[in-house]
Amino acid sequence: MTRNWFLSAGALALLSLAACESDNANVTGPKGQEAFATFVAIGTSLSMGVQSDGVVYFSQQQDWTKLLSHQAFGSFTQPLIAPPGCHSPFIAPLQLSRRLSGISAAANPATSIPDTTCAAFGTYSLPTNDVAIDGATTYDALYVTPETTVVETVKRRRQYRLVLPPKKSQVTAMMQQNPTLVSVELGGNEVLQVVSGLLFPRAGYRGAAAQGTYVPNAVWQPVYDNLIDSVKKTGAKVILSGVPNTSGFVSLRTGDELYQDSVAFRGYGVIVAANCQGSPNVIFTPSKVLGLVGAAQATGTAQTLSCTDTPGAQDNILTPADVQIVDGVLNGMSNHIKAVAQANGWAYMDMAAVWAPWVTRRGPFKVANLLGCVRPFGQYVSLDGIHPNVQGYQEMANAAALALNLTYGFEIPTNDQAVLTSTCP
């Protein structure tokens, strides 16, 4: 019954989407609408529409690229993925430890049916306007095709064949479409693995040189510049996106913040160690806290949450010195991207500025909220603690619209979001 509901809802969504696209194609929109005649988005999960560690047709239609095009009355096609997704997203509340497909959140979705299906939703021709792929690095966007994904994870191999035509990378699929507007959102995946707590620079993108958890600017920048050379050849208008830094991640909490909730932690079988009191070390809570709570429930044995960083261990802990290194890499990327945009007369979206308010607006850490709230990471972030939800993506779309308006004299309206005073329950 549930599966039939998904298919029925999906069919209605496709009809509605088709009608919307048809309407937009024949309605006079704001100044700048003509630039969206062929808008192509290059990027990562943030331009594909990932939410809650999964991607499925309804999360894709809530992505900032889709929302931006809609605000400009433009047409924007996407490679929609059928339910339950590839992978399927987490469902709320997190204490259920379940994905939309019904499998455990602790299971490996790359090998667990039905999350291995990764099927297209409806019929579409490749490439669509959205060629972004979850997990893509700058190197991937420039060079990797469906035939060369043997170096990638299982999930991404399955996604490539749904997004890109044979023998096409994101960049060549973009160029094939003769775009009038291109968005480039890349760089975040070069650094994302540091949330594991390990900081080891890579010497390159492939082979033995790729061993490590982040790509230094000296390795990343030449690849990015090569990609930009291809974008310039199209003659399209362009918007480049910077990357967020650690001050924009709502799921990073200091050890002391966790210690302040230590009494409540005991109710979930977790003892917060004394070394957390006053600790400035930051913890990636989706992995650290949920892992310990799950272990306590599975074993019936109390687990200890230590906030002391263990060098060389994947402990999901970053010291202040680690954060300084990470932010140095991320800020270096954004500074270069902004300089490239300015040198070419292109628009620039400051992602760090968009995400930072999401942290300042969050409340104090509460383990009960993390496990029991529908929106445990606040108003703008989905259940994985990293990717935006629809309101977060709308904030990004608004920022992109303002950047395009400023640079090109467009008049794309924004869809401003009311700030909620509470997101729990």
Side-chain angles (χ1 to χ4, degrees):
M1 181 66 71
T2 301
R3 181 173 179 83
N4 289 338
W5 182 89
F6 270 127
L7 292 176
S8 298
L12 290 173
L14 281 178
L15 289 173
S16 175
L17 179 62
C20 179
E21 297 289 10
S22 176
D23 289 344
N24 283 356
N26 295 285
V27 174
T28 300
K31 183 179 179 181
Q33 179 188 18
E34 65 281 357
F36 287 79
T38 309
F39 168 35
V40 180
I42 293 173
T44 72
S45 54
L46 295 177
S47 295
M48 188 182 193
V50 171
Q51 292 187 42
S52 302
D53 196 47
V55 60
V56 66
Y57 77 92
F58 47 81
S59 70
Q60 292 174 276
Q61 293 175 60
Q62 295 175 348
D63 183 70
W64 73 274
T65 54
K66 178 67 175 181
L67 296 174
L68 173 64
S69 181
H70 182 70
Q71 288 164 216
F73 286 73
S75 175
F76 189 74
T77 59
Q78 296 173 288
L80 299 177
I81 296 175
C86 185
H87 307 311
S88 62
F90 297 140
I91 60 173
L94 290 175
Q95 63 188 0
L96 296 176
S97 188
R98 285 289 181 273
R99 291 182 181 270
L100 180 65
S101 61
I103 71 170
S104 168
N108 181 356
T111 58
S112 302
I113 297 174
D115 278 47
T116 56
T117 304
C118 294
F121 187 49
T123 302
Y124 53 81
S125 299
L126 295 178
T128 64
N129 297 133
D130 193 346
V131 297
I133 295 180
D134 182 16
T137 64
T138 307
Y139 180 98
D140 296 339
L142 185 57
Y143 296 115
V144 175
T145 71
E147 294 80 17
T148 60
T149 55
V150 291
V151 297
E152 311 299 339
T153 63
V154 172
K155 174 181 69 171
R156 294 179 59 202
R157 287 202 296 271
R158 291 170 177 151
Q159 286 184 353
Y160 269 79
R161 63 178 173 79
L162 298 176
V163 176
L164 298 176
K167 300 181 180 180
K168 296 291 184 181
S169 68
Q170 287 194 45
V171 168
T172 53
M174 173 273 296
M175 298 180 77
Q176 175 184 337
Q177 299 181 66
N178 297 315
T180 52
L181 174 66
V182 178
S183 65
V184 181
E185 171 272 309
L186 292 163
N189 286 322
E190 272 79 349
V191 186
L192 188 59
Q193 289 184 29
V194 300
V195 298
S196 67
L198 294 174
L199 269 72
F200 294 111
R202 298 181 182 182
Y205 276 98
R206 288 295 182 265
Q211 299 302 310
T213 57
Y214 71 92
V215 179
N217 285 175
V219 176
W220 164 80
Q221 184 173 316
V223 180
Y224 187 84
D225 289 346
N226 285 340
L227 183 147
I228 290 300
D229 286 341
S230 295
V231 174
K232 289 171 66 173
K233 291 176 182 177
T234 67
K237 291 180 171 59
V238 177
I239 178 168
L240 303 183
S241 171
V243 294
N245 56 32
T246 59
S247 65
F249 281 84
V250 299
S251 51
L252 289 177
R253 295 281 189 165
T254 66
D256 189 62
E257 288 180 278
L258 301 185
Y259 184 82
Q260 299 306 316
D261 201 38
S262 56
V263 173
F265 265 103
R266 288 182 177 271
Y268 296 97
V270 176
I271 300 170
V272 181
N275 60 33
C276 292
Q277 185 175 18
S279 174
N281 291 345
V282 293
I283 290 91
F284 182 59
T285 53
S287 296
K288 188 75 168 181
V289 174
L290 294 175
L292 290 172
V293 170
Q297 293 176 341
T299 64
T301 303
Q303 305 292 307
T304 299
L305 193 165
S306 172
C307 297
T308 299
D309 179 55
T310 303
Q314 296 187 39
D315 54 13
N316 303 116
I317 297 174
L318 296 173
T319 67
D322 293 336
V323 170
Q324 187 174 13
I325 293 172
V326 173
D327 279 343
V329 175
L330 292 169
N331 291 335
M333 284 183 170
S334 290
N335 289 339
H336 181 69
I337 294 169
K338 183 176 182 180
V340 170
Q342 290 176 337
N344 289 280
W346 296 341
Y348 172 74
M349 178 170 65
D350 187 346
M351 186 93 75
V354 177
W355 285 34
W358 304 350
V359 173
T360 59
R361 293 169 187 165
R362 69 184 179 183
F365 179 84
K366 301 290 183 184
V367 66
N369 290 354
L370 175 64
L371 295 170
C373 286
V374 174
R375 287 188 283 192
F377 297 107
Q379 181 175 352
Y380 308 98
V381 179
S382 68
L383 295 172
D384 57 26
I386 295 177
H387 295 94
N389 57 22
V390 63
Q391 287 192 297
Y393 280 128
Q394 183 62 68
E395 292 286 294
M396 292 173 63
N398 289 343
L402 293 174
L404 288 167
N405 292 347
L406 177 65
T407 302
Y408 294 112
F410 295 169
E411 296 177 358
I412 304 169
T414 58
N415 182 11
D416 298 331
Q417 309 292 292
V419 178
L420 300 179
T421 57
S422 174
T423 58
C424 192

